[in-house]
Amino acid sequence: KLIYHPEVVSRWLKGENIYPIEIEISPSGTCNHRCIFCAVDYIGYQPNFLKKDVILRDIRHMSKRGLKSVICSGEGEPLLNQAMPDIANEIKSCGVDVAMSTNGVLFTKERIAQCLGAFSWVRYSIASMKEDSYNRIQQGKEGDLDRVKENLSEAVRFKKSNRLMTTLGVQCLLLPDNVEQLPYMAKTLKDIGVDYLTIKPYSQHLHSNNKFEIDYEVMLELEKQIKEYATDDFAIYFRAAAMKKMHHEKCYEQCYGLPFMTHIDAEGNV
């Protein structure tokens, strides 16, 4: 995204102290799922919640100093924070773009009506569209997949009927437990009417409790099969290049992106 903000990069190169362009916040530290691929399982799903008044106070200040966007994601499920609809609407009213990553179970008809229009995009994390593999991977409550399907359909309906510009997409980690059902997933999401499906590789976090050794080379042929469901209205992104790089060493020693983005966790730590 830095190509859209050359003036900020220029100021940073001159040694100026800059505000981040993007901030990821964790409205909730806990989650209603225990996904086998969770990158932050080592934190322990603590029941911490960002205080609405505090985070909105700070975002109002930051919006005047260069902050452009906020992603509501982080350690847990954002919608477990009961103030999430208000947080989204207030961030938008500050002139800052706001987006959300969610497992979709709690993004019900009521909450969709309350805040879908505030979001530039909503990304649903869904591991499968078949109940057995979904339950095995995401480890939520019985019936959660049916709830997600119903909520997705309602979000698409609400978006269209209110002519919203919100992008509705689904992200799926490619795992041995879901690889065989991904074509069915693509067809189902196309029928529901979401805007895109992204298939990406699992990336091992240094501290996470879960450990996977996945050979993505044998899964790359899946791309052609899945992309048969792509249309002008339904994009499919199969991250083959990222999969091929999974076991390659990085070609750099330091990331220079950190001054431009930061993270505020559910306890308010920056």
Side-chain angles (χ1 to χ4, degrees):
K1 297 178 182 178
L2 289 181
I3 60 171
Y4 297 105
H5 305 281
E7 72 290 347
V8 181
V9 177
S10 176
R11 287 168 47 213
W12 174 74
L13 285 170
K14 293 175 183 176
E16 292 185 33
N17 199 15
I18 62 166
Y19 266 71
I21 295 169
E22 177 179 276
I23 285 180
E24 180 178 337
I25 65 173
S26 297
S28 167
T30 189
C31 191
N32 53 330
H33 282 180
R34 294 292 182 269
C35 299
I36 62 174
F37 56 77
C38 182
V40 292
D41 54 5
Y42 65 94
I43 297 176
Y45 307 103
Q46 300 299 316
N48 301 314
F49 302 95
L50 278 182
K51 292 180 173 62
K52 178 181 72 172
D53 294 343
V54 174
I55 192 62
L56 291 176
R57 175 201 67 191
D58 290 344
I59 287 174
R60 289 188 194 104
H61 288 310
M62 288 185 275
S63 69
K64 299 172 183 177
R65 291 165 171 80
L67 177 66
K68 302 295 184 184
S69 64
V70 173
I71 300 176
C72 302
S73 181
E75 306 114 90
E77 167 54 48
L79 290 163
L80 282 171
N81 187 324
Q82 296 302 310
M84 188 60 234
D86 290 340
I87 291 173
N89 288 316
E90 288 292 329
I91 291 174
K92 183 67 174 178
S93 72
C94 294
V96 174
D97 286 346
V98 58
M100 180 175 67
S101 181
T102 175
N103 59 41
V105 176
L106 302 175
F107 204 25
T108 59
K109 182 176 183 179
E110 179 183 12
R111 285 185 169 173
I112 288 168
Q114 289 172 340
C115 63
L116 183 63
F119 293 115
S120 297
W121 52 263
V122 176
R123 182 175 60 219
Y124 295 77
S125 178
I126 305 174
S128 174
M129 277 288 167
K130 290 194 174 181
E131 193 169 19
D132 55 348
S133 54
Y134 177 91
N135 291 340
R136 188 165 59 250
I137 297 170
Q138 300 207 204
Q139 301 190 67
K141 291 182 178 179
E142 195 69 30
D144 272 359
L145 180 57
D146 289 335
R147 297 182 188 97
V148 170
K149 290 179 179 178
E150 181 180 340
N151 294 343
L152 264 178
S153 298
E154 173 59 23
V156 170
R157 186 205 65 77
F158 189 88
K159 171 187 173 177
K160 291 180 177 179
S161 63
N162 290 276
R163 298 184 178 181
L164 301 180
M165 298 300 292
T166 309
T167 300
L168 299 172
V170 172
Q171 178 173 280
C172 175
L173 287 185
L174 180 54
L175 301 168
D177 282 328
N178 64 10
V179 61
E180 293 184 357
Q181 67 81 47
L182 289 181
Y184 173 80
M185 184 178 195
K187 179 184 183 303
T188 303
L189 292 172
K190 174 186 174 183
D191 292 342
I192 289 174
V194 300
D195 297 304
Y196 72 84
L197 166 64
T198 295
I199 308 294
K200 62 180 290 186
Y202 166 84
S203 180
Q204 181 71 55
H205 191 284
L206 291 175
H207 303 301
S208 57
N209 297 323
N210 59 72
K211 306 291 181 185
F212 290 99
E213 289 292 334
I214 302 174
D215 182 6
Y216 281 111
E217 290 293 334
V218 301
M219 301 182 185
L220 294 177
E221 61 186 27
L222 187 65
E223 178 177 12
K224 183 177 180 181
Q225 189 178 356
I226 294 175
K227 284 195 170 180
E228 291 180 359
Y229 294 98
T231 66
D232 291 340
D233 299 318
F234 177 59
I236 294 179
Y237 305 105
F238 190 91
R239 301 280 299 279
M243 294 176 194
K244 293 175 183 177
K245 292 179 181 178
M246 287 306 297
H247 301 295
H248 292 191
E249 291 294 324
K250 290 184 173 65
C251 59
Y252 54 89
E253 294 182 356
Q254 181 180 354
C255 174
Y256 291 104
L258 298 182
F260 304 97
M261 59 183 296
T262 193
H263 176 212
I264 300 175
D265 71 15
E267 290 187 290
N269 299 307
V270 180

